[in-house]
Amino acid sequence: MTRNLLAAASAIALLALGACGNDQSAGNQTARAGIWAAGSSTVFPFSTRVAENFARSSGGAAPRIESLGTGGGIQAFCQGVGPNTPDIANASRRMKASEFELCRTNGVTDIVELKIGFDGLVIATARNAPDYGFTGDDLYLALAKEVPGPNGTFIANPNTTWSQVNPGLPATRILVYGPPPTSGTRDSWLELAMAPSAKAIPALAALAESDEDRFETLAHTLREDGAWVDSGENDNAIVQTLTRTPGSTGAFGYSFLEQNNDTVKAHSVNGVMPTLETIASGEYPISRSMFIYVKKQHVGVTPGLEQFVAEFLSEASAGRGGYLQDRGLVPLPADQLAAQRAIATAMTPMTAPAK
């Protein structure tokens, strides 16, 4: 409920901003001055870079790119059709069935889903911090609100240092700065880091088979006692915090590691370090796909929208060695990128997500 309220508040605020300087009603399919994309903080630097190139090459209005978190961006995108709603939602996870239904309810009936590349979620510290190597159940035992107790019970997490979780880890306090509930990065962290770590505990692995809802509640509920700190939608703020807070750890997208590897470093997960190669291959366990969602009903109405999408998926942008790789995006294999371009060219609407 809290997540939904926050996302709705973000969407309402965003729509109010969209109305500023625009005297057209939201229901009027009239061209806006430029393209508008909103959503994931992780996709934000990629979208911004494409917008810069697009503005230079087209000579038109620079696209407006806003970082609201995946949930906030999709909520705004799904509010309806017209110049007061975004043309594109940037997302660091797939659109949910509930979000797709919200779009449909509000008249957004043709949505084009495009995968633009991969990203990994890193667990990082300042460069002068000790080296960590996270394995098995470490992340769950450090960050879950409740952990296994005696006789099949679950108790409030008593661990205060990493060495209490695993004697092989440093004896530093558990203090992890990470994304808030409205962020797609948070959703990915729960699905790709916390849930697999929980399943490394036999009791929770059995629970996942017998009571999936109960397992998900335990695996997806983070501590609220200060060991995990929600740090807003800007992953760069987490990076800066690590350099100012000795002993702290951060969870954020690989692209931000690439941009700040002079001040922070990543740690291995199950013996694998996050690199372009290990993320693209899926060998690094906390990896995910990046998406943009295009409102097909705005194509031909918002000037340059098709061309902007084509630039996003161009070889110079999203290809191997392209300028988005320089920003930290892990490129799609050539055949997958070609398939996404075909979807973009035809503007093929997506089908409803399974969940």
Side-chain angles (χ1 to χ4, degrees):
M1 178 63 72
T2 300
R3 179 182 301 189
N4 292 336
L5 289 172
L6 287 170
S10 297
I12 291 167
L14 181 57
L15 292 174
L17 282 172
C20 295
N22 189 338
D23 60 1
Q24 300 148 337
S25 68
N28 184 9
Q29 268 288 66
T30 308
R32 201 188 308 106
I35 295 157
W36 180 10
S40 167
S41 63
T42 306
V43 179
F44 176 79
F46 308 139
S47 196
T48 300
R49 183 72 173 83
V50 174
E52 292 167 354
N53 266 34
F54 175 79
R56 281 196 298 268
S57 62
S58 69
R64 170 182 168 186
I65 314 297
E66 294 186 305
S67 176
L68 298 172
T70 295
I74 292 178
Q75 284 281 329
F77 178 87
C78 289
Q79 291 305 303
V81 176
N84 290 346
T85 61
D87 306 297
I88 294 172
N90 296 328
S92 55
R93 58 161 171 79
R94 273 207 154 90
M95 180 179 283
K96 299 175 182 177
S98 59
E99 293 166 334
F100 184 87
E101 186 56 36
L102 174 65
C103 271
R104 181 181 291 173
T105 298
N106 290 331
V108 183
T109 55
D110 293 315
I111 304 167
V112 182
E113 178 186 74
L114 296 167
K115 185 189 296 185
I116 61 168
F118 303 106
D119 186 34
L121 298 182
V122 302
I123 310 171
T125 55
R127 291 205 68 85
N128 60 0
D131 288 328
Y132 296 63
F134 298 101
T135 59
D137 58 12
D138 291 348
L139 296 176
Y140 180 84
L141 292 180
L143 298 173
K145 183 176 181 178
E146 295 184 347
V147 297
N151 303 317
T153 62
F154 287 88
I155 61 173
N157 195 330
N159 298 314
T160 58
T161 68
W162 289 105
S163 58
Q164 286 176 311
V165 169
N166 181 340
L169 294 173
T172 52
R173 63 174 172 161
I174 299 170
L175 176 61
V176 178
Y177 292 89
T182 51
S183 171
T185 301
R186 170 71 156 259
D187 293 328
S188 297
W189 174 259
L190 297 176
E191 292 287 347
L192 301 173
M194 292 297 291
S197 182
K199 287 180 180 178
I201 300 171
L204 280 162
L207 186 62
E209 295 293 329
S210 63
D211 189 343
E212 185 177 355
D213 289 343
R214 173 65 172 150
F215 169 81
E216 185 169 307
T217 297
L218 290 165
H220 288 192
T221 304
L222 296 171
R223 299 175 70 160
E224 299 172 343
D225 58 0
W228 172 276
V229 180
D230 290 339
S231 298
E233 297 289 359
N234 186 351
D235 288 358
N236 267 321
I238 301 177
V239 171
Q240 293 163 14
T241 298
L242 301 185
T243 63
R244 298 193 302 262
T245 311
S248 63
T249 307
F252 49 84
Y254 176 77
S255 59
F256 292 91
L257 175 72
E258 285 276 280
Q259 296 165 34
N260 297 278
N261 59 17
D262 57 331
T263 57
V264 295
K265 63 181 178 182
H267 302 293
S268 64
V269 178
N270 292 338
V272 182
M273 290 293 292
T275 66
L276 288 174
E277 292 71 26
T278 60
I279 292 169
S281 69
E283 182 184 2
Y284 180 68
I286 316 179
S287 55
R288 58 184 175 164
S289 299
M290 303 281 99
F291 299 90
I292 61 173
Y293 289 91
V294 183
K295 194 173 292 179
K296 185 174 180 179
Q297 289 146 293
H298 283 193
V299 172
V301 180
T302 301
L305 181 56
E306 284 179 289
Q307 292 76 16
F308 178 77
V309 172
E311 173 64 22
F312 221 129
L313 295 172
S314 70
E315 195 64 29
S317 170
R320 187 77 175 181
Y323 60 76
L324 292 185
Q325 184 174 327
D326 292 340
R327 284 275 174 107
L329 184 72
V330 178
L332 294 169
D335 59 336
Q336 292 186 33
L337 182 56
Q340 296 303 305
R341 286 187 188 127
I343 294 171
T345 300
M347 281 289 158
T348 306
M350 67 184 287
T351 57
K355 62 179 181 177

